[in-house]
């Protein structure tokens, strides 16, 4: 089904995707109404988009023009970049695989981004990105070429990086089957784009397509089916997909005769949950997702319908570890960032998820047992496997039979080091053969209804065998070694399948199989490391040649360049595609109901969330390079004698100068001293816990920058609430070149509260407070965590460290004030206090009152301040600051540890964290949405002008307690149950129109029917312009000795008593023929009639008003210009025009409480009496009769009259209340 993309510029910019039968329209939605007036408004400027799916016959596309001459192949979704909304469409694709007949896979070769709210980008980014990748850096879809026209562009398209990424040839999609699931998990009868069936782990456009998935879920079932059939929405994976054709003479299945070729397909699905580049994405996260996780499926299809499938996975070592980049191999050090106790929960999540998806797990570890770095990973990996619940039975012993988790160590480099070379890698078959037979494979056969093999439409698929386990293979990068071993595992599974059928494959078949796996390794390696896989020459040809060795050397050098200088930008682009950048906001579809639900959820946050109090202990200590303190007792610092004592849940310890800051040390980091202090702190914490029989502490994470170290310990039960733990450093020494000064930060998500700890060592020197201020700004703005997250992007922030701010007094005066204990005087001259008050550093941070002596500088081992020749002035260099509404500081003091020239400082906090029950919140959200939709119905969109009928769903707030909410044009506060103000009357059958002879007042006695057939209407002459009728009304006032009310001409009289009011009826109206307007008219009001109008009353005679001239003090007779007082009448569907209300007796005025359809502005003519404003946000209305100034009148307006805007007449309950009453003097 051909897809086209169209654009309309005016009156509102709109993009349409069309098929032969339907259209999907996209429009940018203007900003929602002010949050001060509308409760449903989101207090942010998040961009919104309007989406409409309609049959083509009801959509007017006359104003649309094609955006491209060729068609498109689908849309990947919507994305917001720099506050602009872009629609991503697939503009180029090529067929790369056919898994089974009717299951084709396309590779994306080019995409386009079309802006919904800005036309500046319409002619940009139309050139094709290089789709033919090479081994040159940045060329695999990451350059525009070398032509001058490509280099000299006026500005860069904001989606250029995304276009390069999506056009790199590593993304695949299918419109015929669910490509995100393996053959064993998908059903051929399910919808191609069924939300429930898509595997989000492998759906790379999930962030962009999610708004459209939500839109689809709210459509009626027929519309959902039509949208699925249109194939507009596409689900894309990243990895590798390819099919090779196996000729009949090379087919391994010879017992089934067929002259048709069979197919061998390889599908690799890369997970998007911990996606990234080589050195930016390592290990595991707290949700159990690992880096470079790939599910690879081998599918062999035979023309008879027999189909074989076998899946295996690869992924980074599932522990918390990182690896630094470096130009030399020795600089790429591996660091394990969490303790075994803190890692085990995440490891268990990963293994349990694998067991749910695949069954029994066989861990095949290819890391070295002798190479530094890999040894530590291997030992920790084995530790976690042995402590996994799947590895043990409930009694804690290893299970030998029916074991769900198995592991084997296969040192790839050691095994292939001999003369056999890489051929020795086949020895892994003997290690895993028994498990491979036990895991089996997935086998699907197609049988016709009569039981014989056939391919007709009556055949059905039956599952013969299912795969019961999976091999999880890993090396360090999960690229080169892993791909070679997985090739052998795939071949082993195929051999078992053929063996069970008594068949064997030819060498030509295995060569095709090896070629597929070699191409797979190259593709996955380019995604993760930037170049093709090493050892691919052996995988492809079965032997290693000199050319292959030279190619591997060149790839290694290219990888080094890309990993050090390019990968950071590639990582940002991946995070942008997946919606993980901090400043990124998703595209929201226009849905006032959803806005209302979000507002209600914010109001009812207590229904689905709870709060929990955690106690945090924070301490900082400058060790002055003294290593002997490791053996000291730290209890006086870590467990001070304070009242009352509460168990501490989180311990954050910051050290400075754990090593001497010599010129050799400041350029590198030695982790040995940090590990010693980790052990010392952990030993003290857990000895105290065991002594008090409380829960022990677990090392969560630590970080180091030369001499600065930050260590986080938590109670074991808190581990379950913590995730997304990250660390980062920022150098400030020697203009950012050296690490003698700088900061170490660790952040985490504790339940739904974001916490960040920062330990800093700022510039030294008495007068260098400006440099210290600059160091703070550099750290605060320059230190970044993953996904561009900064320190300020947290709910709770605690700074601790040696900030080096001094006291701005002389040494003699400071020592004298210390002796007197006058800490207030000292604090008034403290540099940090003065700089914070001036707003030059640590803005909006708080520090508790200092009640302890200056912490710097002491003689080592004593309580005596510096007596050396330098005679350092005592100062509070070591400080703890905090920011966050959920923090309450309890203590702030020092501890008597004397092995350094500083004193350790500690502070305790009570932190209130928010715990949100996500399932309960989701259920409440669905209930609110359903109830709100039942109450007000859906919203509609005018496809012609883009206007959105959202009046019913916008909720206005009351301006004061006790008052009703303001009215809207369609809803009034005095009408209960949200009844509409305007009636929507429709004829019961075709060709019926409202009877123009029927009076507009339904309570008036009449014999006219409501509806008449259009052919029965009497002929009417049109006005001179042929488009409207004219209604003229004239009002004059006369002066009388008794100052009576003005009379309305045309035979109308004022009643003598109120009782006569009940006898009044509304004067019948008629349509004026053209040319009958009186020439005596001095003012007239023109109304545009959209439908045949009821009869119009006779034109009144012009009366003269009596007014006072304030300037001259005399009265003058002058006409009143009603054209300046009235606006055109807008007809409603119920009635197109209204008669002008008049009184048939003298001495009466119209009731101001009765509603008329004549809008007005406040009258500025002296003597006119105007009615009060409506309780509405709409225009003001008043009675159609204006009167001149009167001082004494016999009749007044009856204010008991009740109005009803629906019919513009008194409601049923006010039929006996007169609309006119006598005026009273005064």
């Amino acid at each position: 089904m051909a897809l086209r993309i169209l654009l309309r510029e005016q009156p509102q910019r709109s993009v349409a995707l069309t098929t032969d039968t339907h259209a999907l329209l996209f429009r940018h939605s203007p900003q929602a109404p002010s949050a001060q007036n509308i409760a449903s408004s989101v207090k942010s400027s998040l961009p919104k988009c309007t989406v409409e799916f309609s049959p083509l016959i009801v959509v007017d596309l006359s104003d649309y023009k094609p955006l491209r001459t060729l068609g498109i192949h689908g849309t990947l979704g919507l994305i917001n970049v720099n506050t602009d909304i872009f629609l991503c469409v697939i503009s180029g694709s090529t067929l790369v695989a056919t898994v089974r007949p009717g299951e084709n896979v396309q590779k994306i070769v080019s995409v386009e981004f079309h802006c919904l709210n800005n036309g500046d980008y319409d002619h940009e980014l139309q050139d094709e990105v290089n789709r033919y990748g090479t081994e040159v850096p940045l060329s695999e879809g990451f350059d525009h070429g070398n032509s001058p026209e490509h280099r000299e562009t006026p500005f860069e398209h904001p989606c250029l990086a995304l276009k390069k990424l999506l056009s790199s040839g590593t993304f695949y999609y299918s419109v015929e089957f669910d490509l995100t699931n393996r053959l064993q998990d998908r059903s051929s009868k399910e919808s191609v784009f069924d939300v429930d069936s898509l595997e989000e782990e492998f759906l790379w456009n999930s962030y962009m397509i999610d708004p459209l998935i939500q839109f689809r879920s709210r459509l009626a079932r027929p519309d959902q089916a039509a949208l699925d059939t249109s194939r507009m929405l596409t689900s894309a994976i990243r990895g590798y997909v390819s099919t090779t054709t196996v000729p009949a003479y090379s087919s391994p299945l010879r017992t089934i005769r067929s002259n048709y070729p069979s197919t061998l397909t390889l599908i690799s699905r890369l997970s998007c949950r911990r996606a990234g580049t080589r050195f930016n994405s390592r290990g595991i996260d707290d949700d159990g997702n690992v880096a470079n996780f790939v599910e690879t499926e081998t599918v062999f299809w035979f023309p008879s319908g027999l189909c074989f499938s076998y899946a295996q996975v690869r992924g980074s070592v599932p522990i918390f570890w990182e690896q630094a980049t470096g130009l030399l191999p020795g600089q790429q050090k591996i660091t394990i960032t969490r303790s075994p106790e803190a890692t085990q929960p995440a490891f268990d999540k990963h293994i349990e998820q694998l067991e749910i998806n695949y069954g029994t797990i066989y861990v095949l570890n290819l890391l070295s047992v002798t190479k530094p770095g890999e040894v530590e990973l291997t030992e920790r990996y084995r530790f976690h496997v042995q402590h996994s619940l799947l590895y043990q039975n409930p009694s804690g012993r290893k299970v030998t039979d029916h074991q769900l988790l198995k592991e084997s160590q296969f040192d790839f480099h050691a095994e292939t080091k001999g003369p056999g070379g890489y051929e020795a890698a086949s020895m892994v078959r003997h290690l895993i053969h028994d498990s491979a037979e036990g895991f089996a494979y997935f086998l699907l056969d197609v049988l016709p209804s009569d039981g014989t093999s056939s391919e007709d439409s009556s055949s059905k698929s039956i599952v013969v065998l299912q795969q019961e386990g999976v091999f999880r293979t890993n090396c360090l990068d999960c690229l080169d070694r892993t791909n070679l071993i997985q090739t052998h595992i795939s071949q082993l599974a195929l051999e078992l399948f053929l063996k069970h059928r008594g068949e064997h494959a030819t060498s030509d078949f295995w060569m095709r199989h090896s070629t597929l796996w070699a191409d797979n390794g190259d593709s996955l390696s380019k995604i993760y490391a930037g170049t093709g896989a090493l050892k691919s020459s052996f995988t492809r040809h079965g032997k290693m040649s000199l050319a292959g060795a030279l190619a591997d050397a060149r790839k290694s050098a290219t990888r080094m360049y890309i990993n050090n200088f390019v990968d950071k930008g590639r990582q940002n682009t991946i995070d942008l595609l997946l919606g993980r950048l901090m400043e990124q906001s998703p595209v929201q579809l226009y849905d006032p109901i959803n806005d209302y639900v979000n507002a209600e959820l914010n109001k009812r946050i207590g229904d689905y969330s709870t709060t929990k109090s955690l106690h945090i202990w924070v301490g900082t200590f400058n060790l002055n390079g003294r290593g002997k303190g490791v053996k000291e007792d730290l209890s006086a610092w870590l467990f001070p004698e304070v009242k009352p004592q509460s168990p501490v849940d989180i311990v954050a310890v910051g050290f400075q100068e754990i090593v001497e800051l010599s010129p050799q040390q400041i350029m590198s980091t030695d982790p040995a001293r940090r590990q010693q202090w980790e052990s010392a702190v952990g030993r003290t914490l857990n000895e105290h816990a065991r002594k008090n029989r409380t829960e022990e502490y677990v090392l969560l994470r630590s970080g180091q920058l030369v001499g600065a170290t930050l260590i986080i310990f938590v109670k074991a039960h808190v581990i379950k609430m913590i995730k997304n733990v990250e660390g980062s450093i920022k150098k400030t020494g020697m203009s950012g070149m050296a690490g003698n000064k700088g900061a170490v930060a660790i952040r985490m998500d504790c339940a739904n509260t974001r916490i960040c700890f920062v330990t800093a060592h700022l510039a030294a020197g008495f007068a260098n407070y400006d440099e210290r201020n600059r160091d703070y700004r550099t750290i605060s703005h320059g230190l970044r965590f993953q996904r561009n997250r900064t320190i300020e992007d947290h709910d709770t922030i605690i700074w601790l460290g040696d900030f080096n701010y001094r006291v701005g007094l002389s040494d003699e005066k400071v020592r004298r004030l210390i002796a007197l204990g006058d800490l207030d005087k000292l604090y008034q001259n403290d540099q940090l206090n003065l700089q914070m008050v001036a707003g030059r550093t640590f803005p909006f941070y708080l520090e508790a009152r200092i009640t302890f002596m200056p912490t710097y500088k002491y003689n080592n081992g004593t309580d005596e301040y510096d007596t050396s020749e330098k005679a350092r002035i005592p100062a509070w260099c070591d400080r703890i600051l905090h920011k966050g509404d959920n923090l309450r500081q309890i203590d702030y003091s020092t501890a008597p540890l004397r092995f350094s020239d500083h004193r350790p400082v500690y502070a305790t906090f009570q932190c209130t964290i928010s715990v949100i029950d996500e399932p309960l919140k989701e259920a409440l959200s669905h209930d609110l949405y359903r109830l709100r939709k039942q109450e007000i119905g859906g919203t509609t969109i005018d496809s012609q002008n883009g206007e959105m009928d959202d009046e019913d769903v916008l909720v206005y707030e009351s301006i004061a307690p006790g008052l009703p909410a303001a009215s809207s044009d369609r809803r009034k506060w005095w009408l209960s149950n949200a009844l509409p103000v305007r009636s929507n009357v429709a004829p019961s059958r075709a060709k019926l129109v409202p009877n123009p002879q029927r009076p507009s007042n339904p309570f008036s006695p009449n014999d006219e029917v409501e509806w008449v057939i259009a052919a029965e209407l009497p002929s009417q002459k049109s006005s001179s312009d042929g488009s409207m009728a004219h209604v003229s009304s004239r009002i004059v006032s006369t002066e009388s000795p008794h100052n009576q009310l003005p009379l309305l001409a045309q035979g109308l009289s004022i009643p003598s008593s109120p009782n006569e009011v009940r006898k009044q009826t509304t004067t019948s109206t008629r349509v004026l023929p053209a040319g009958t307007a009186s020439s005596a008219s001095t003012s007239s009001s023109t109304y545009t009639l959209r439908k045949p109008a009821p009869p119009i009353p006779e034109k009144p005679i012009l009366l003269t008003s009596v007014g006072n001239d304030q300037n001259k003090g005399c009265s003058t007779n002058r006409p009143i210009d009603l054209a300046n007082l009235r606006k055109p009448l807008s007809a409603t569907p119920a009635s197109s025009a209204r008669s002008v209300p008049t009184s048939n007796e003298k001495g009466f005025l119209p009731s101001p409480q009765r509603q008329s359809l004549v809008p007005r502005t406040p009258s500025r003519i002296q003597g006119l009496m105007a009615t009060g404003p409506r309780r509405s946000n709409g225009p003001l209305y008043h009675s159609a009769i204006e009167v001149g100034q009167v001082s004494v009148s016999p009749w007044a307006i009856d204010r008991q009259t009740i109005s009803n805007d629906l019919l513009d007449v008194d409601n049923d309950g006010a039929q006996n209340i007169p609309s006119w009453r006598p005026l009273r003097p005064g």
Side-chain angles (χ1 to χ4, degrees), residues 621-632:
F621 196 0
N622 187 315
L623 299 174
N624 194 27
R626 304 295 178 179
K628 64 179 182 180
V630 172
K631 300 180 181 180
E632 296 283 341

Side-chain angles (χ1 to χ4, degrees), residues 24 27 81 138 375 425 427 459 467-468 534 662 718 728 830 961:
L24 188 63
R27 301 185 192 92
V81 182
L138 296 180
V375 176
M427 295 173 58
S459 60
Q467 185 176 344
E468 302 293 341
L534 307 181
S662 61
V718 182
S728 183
D830 177 68

